[in-house]
Amino acid sequence: EAGVAQSPRYKIIEKRQSVAFWCNPISGHATLYWYQQILGQGPKLLIQFQNNGVVDDSQLPKDRFSAERLKGVDSTLKIQPAKLEDSAVYLCASSSMRQEKLFFGSGTQLSVL
Amino acid sequence: KQEVTQIPAALSVPEGENLVLNCSFTDSAIYNLQWFRQDPGKGLTSLLLIQSSQREQTSGRLNASLDKSSGRSTLYIAASQPGDSATYLCAVVGGTSYGKLTFGQGTILTVHP
C-alpha cells in the first residue's frame, strides 16, 4: 500500500515570497490533515478536510495561508506572503475515518530567510 | 483548551533497559490517545492507539496504558534497542473535536549500545 506522498521535500524562500506544498493521501482515505511542526515542538493542526469539505481550520492563519482539496483527493497548502516564523516542517496526514489512526507523509521542510 | 505534556523531554539509556515515557493531558474528555514515533527528517509513524474505553494496548515490546480520569498515559518499552532511538509523541483526540489531534512536545529517546 502506497503511503502519503508529499512534495517538495525541502524548500528555501525569502520572506514575503509565496510557496506551495502538495499532498497525495492514501487511496480511499476521506480525511486529510495539514500540520505545522516547529523545531522542538509537537505538530499543530492547520486544517482538516473531510472529502473536499473543511472540517476544522480554526488554527490556520487565513490572512496568509490557504488550502484546498480538489475532488476530495490531492491537496495543496499555500503561504503568501511567507514570514520568518513560518519556518517549519509541514506534514500531511490522512485517515480512512475521523478520529482513527493517522498515516503521515515525510513532510516538507520550509526555511524562510 | 486541551494541553498535552510529555515527561521527560529527553532520555538516554543503555541498550537492554526497560523504560517508561509519560504523557499527561488536561481535559479527560478524550475520544482516543495515540503514541507516535518520529525519526529525524521523517514523518510520524503511529505506534499504538487506545480508545477512551480501553486501558491499554500492546504491540511487540511496546505497551501503552491510559488512565483517563487522571489524565495520564504511559508508554512502556521493554528491552530497549539502539533502533528505538527516536522522538516519541503522544497525542489526544478530544471527545468533541472530530479527529483533531493535540500533540505533546515529544520525548527524545537515545538508546546507546
Side-chain angles (χ1 to χ4, degrees), chain A residues 16-59:
Chain A
R16 291 188 289 273
Q17 287 186 325
S18 63
V19 64
F21 313 127
W22 173 83
C23 173
N24 180 239
I26 292 174
S27 177
H29 279 193
T31 310
L32 186 147
Y33 313 77
W34 282 102
Y35 284 86
Q36 179 193 58
Q37 186 176 24
I38 294 172
L39 187 64
Q41 300 181 17
K44 181 185 81 171
L45 180 69
L46 293 176
I47 190 167
Q48 177 184 340
F49 293 95
Q50 183 73 13
N51 295 309
N52 60 348
V54 175
V55 173
D56 186 338
D57 63 357
S58 58
Q59 297 190 96

Side-chain angles (χ1 to χ4, degrees), chain A residues 9 33 35 37 40-43 45 48 55-56 58-59 91 98-102 104-107, chain B residues 31-32 34 36 38 41-44 46 49 51 89 93-95 97-101 103-105:
Chain A
R9 189 75 179 87
Y33 313 77
Y35 284 86
Q37 186 176 24
Q41 300 181 17
L45 180 69
Q48 177 184 340
V55 173
D56 186 338
S58 58
Q59 297 190 96
L91 295 163
R98 288 176 176 177
Q99 300 179 320
E100 296 300 331
K101 184 175 179 180
L102 267 67
F104 281 82
S106 297
Chain B
Y31 183 80
N32 67 40
Q34 301 183 40
F36 294 86
Q38 186 171 31
K42 296 187 178 180
L44 282 69
S46 179
L49 184 155
Q51 301 290 354
L89 292 148
V93 176
S97 60
Y98 295 97
K100 175 181 175 180
L101 264 66
F103 282 86
Q105 77 280 18

Side-chain angles (χ1 to χ4, degrees), chain A:
Chain A
E1 174 180 85
V4 177
Q6 288 189 247
S7 67
R9 189 75 179 87
Y10 304 94
K11 191 72 177 179
I12 300 174
I13 62 172
E14 295 186 350
K15 61 182 179 183
R16 291 188 289 273
Q17 287 186 325
S18 63
V19 64
F21 313 127
W22 173 83
C23 173
N24 180 239
I26 292 174
S27 177
H29 279 193
T31 310
L32 186 147
Y33 313 77
W34 282 102
Y35 284 86
Q36 179 193 58
Q37 186 176 24
I38 294 172
L39 187 64
Q41 300 181 17
K44 181 185 81 171
L45 180 69
L46 293 176
I47 190 167
Q48 177 184 340
F49 293 95
Q50 183 73 13
N51 295 309
N52 60 348
V54 175
V55 173
D56 186 338
D57 63 357
S58 58
Q59 297 190 96
L60 186 73
K62 298 181 185 63
D63 58 334
R64 298 184 300 106
F65 286 64
S66 64
E68 60 180 4
R69 189 181 185 196
L70 298 177
K71 300 181 181 179
V73 182
D74 292 7
S75 177
T76 56
L77 176 69
K78 298 179 181 178
I79 308 175
Q80 182 179 13
K83 292 185 176 182
L84 297 177
E85 58 261 36
D86 297 333
S87 295
V89 175
Y90 291 84
L91 295 163
C92 179
S94 69
S95 66
S96 58
M97 294 176 61
R98 288 176 176 177
Q99 300 179 320
E100 296 300 331
K101 184 175 179 180
L102 267 67
F103 295 83
F104 281 82
S106 297
T108 295
Q109 185 170 331
L110 174 67
S111 297
V112 182
L113 307 178

Side-chain angles (χ1 to χ4, degrees), chain B:
Chain B
K1 178 185 174 184
Q2 180 74 270
E3 292 184 2
V4 181
T5 302
Q6 291 187 243
I7 295 173
L11 183 63
S12 180
V13 300
E15 181 177 7
E17 272 203 9
N18 302 323
L19 54 97
V20 175
L21 308 182
N22 297 292
C23 172
S24 62
F25 45 95
T26 55
D27 186 349
S28 62
I30 64 170
Y31 183 80
N32 67 40
L33 181 144
Q34 301 183 40
W35 282 93
F36 294 86
R37 169 184 171 140
Q38 186 171 31
D39 293 284
K42 296 187 178 180
L44 282 69
T45 300
S46 179
L47 297 173
L48 292 164
L49 184 155
I50 311 176
Q51 301 290 354
S52 62
S53 59
Q54 298 175 321
R55 293 193 63 83
E56 67 177 341
Q57 281 287 333
T58 298
S59 176
R61 295 182 293 108
L62 305 179
N63 175 274
S65 66
L66 174 63
D67 184 342
K68 206 173 68 165
S69 61
S70 68
R72 294 182 180 183
S73 176
T74 60
L75 178 66
Y76 176 84
I77 303 177
S80 58
Q81 303 171 358
D84 295 330
S85 298
T87 298
Y88 290 81
L89 292 148
C90 165
V92 298
V93 176
T96 60
S97 60
Y98 295 97
K100 175 181 175 180
L101 264 66
T102 301
F103 282 86
Q105 77 280 18
T107 293
I108 302 171
L109 173 66
T110 303
V111 181
H112 48 88

